[in-house]
Amino acid sequence: MKKPRTSRVELYFTLTFTVSALCLLALVAGTLLPVVREYRVINLTDEVVYVTPLLHSNGDQQANEEETTDTPARLAGVYFAVLSQFASFSGPALPALNPKDLPVPPKGSRAIYIDYEDLKQEDGAQVLLVRSAGGQYRYLEADFWEQDRISSLDRLAPATGTMLAAHERASAGLICWLLPLICLALTFLFPVLLIRETRNRRREKRIQAEAAGLPG
């Protein structure tokens, strides 16, 4: 037997004040509570460079046979991860679409909006991975609290294997937006269904009343 329309109204009403409400709370907390800090990269060279901010990670420490002699001993084998970033400085704090290979124009600069909490909790190495237009990866020890200048690519040490591994692991594109998009969709889905079902129910009652010759 087909369930009456009122059961759908009650179902959507319940889902609106449970699932949609929780998704809205998660969306607000996830986009308004994070503290965003601006870090700036200044490119003093005559070519565009592509930068990726890396932080020391608590992952397994792995020695890498490809480490060069130019690498400081304290960075040899350090496990890195790409620093969390946001799309803008002001709210809502949505994740950056692409956290790596960020272009910095020649004789120009670029602001990178980073997660203050991630930076505050990390007391290890801070490294800016720099890719030249020719595809070579180098690095400089960075200060993500303020700014860094790239004056010459030739003066930078070649990137280590663990730095390149962190770069490869970093996800780009809409993957980081998946959870916010799901929360946003569920926030509006059930209220919209509730409104539509309520209107349909009222329209059916009006049609039935008109058919019976009663006032709507």
Side-chain angles (χ1 to χ4, degrees), residues 31-32 88-93:
T31 58
L32 295 183
S88 63
F89 183 73
S90 57

Side-chain angles (χ1 to χ4, degrees), residues 97-204:
L97 285 174
N98 184 19
K100 63 181 182 180
D101 288 332
L102 308 172
V104 185
K107 303 298 183 181
S109 66
R110 181 189 182 112
I112 302 176
Y113 307 114
I114 59 179
D115 191 336
Y116 170 78
E117 291 299 326
D118 278 7
L119 187 59
K120 183 179 68 173
Q121 296 174 9
E122 181 55 60
D123 56 1
Q126 300 179 14
V127 167
L128 186 67
L129 187 64
V130 182
R131 176 170 68 85
S132 67
Q136 294 182 334
Y137 283 94
R138 297 179 176 271
Y139 80 93
L140 60 86
E141 295 190 51
D143 179 12
F144 295 141
W145 291 101
E146 297 296 338
Q147 66 180 22
D148 285 295
R149 298 171 181 266
I150 302 172
S151 56
S152 173
L153 292 176
D154 294 334
R155 296 179 182 178
L156 302 182
T160 67
T162 53
M163 294 175 189
L164 296 177
H167 175 274
E168 292 301 318
R169 287 194 307 270
S171 60
L174 290 175
I175 296 178
C176 55
W177 277 56
L178 186 59
L179 183 58
L181 288 174
I182 291 175
C183 287
L184 183 63
L186 292 177
T187 296
F188 289 99
L189 175 62
F190 297 118
V192 169
L193 292 176
L194 174 61
I195 293 173
R196 190 182 69 173
E197 197 66 26
T198 301
R199 288 179 175 175
N200 289 340
R201 182 59 180 170
R202 289 176 179 173
R203 183 169 62 252
E204 288 182 0

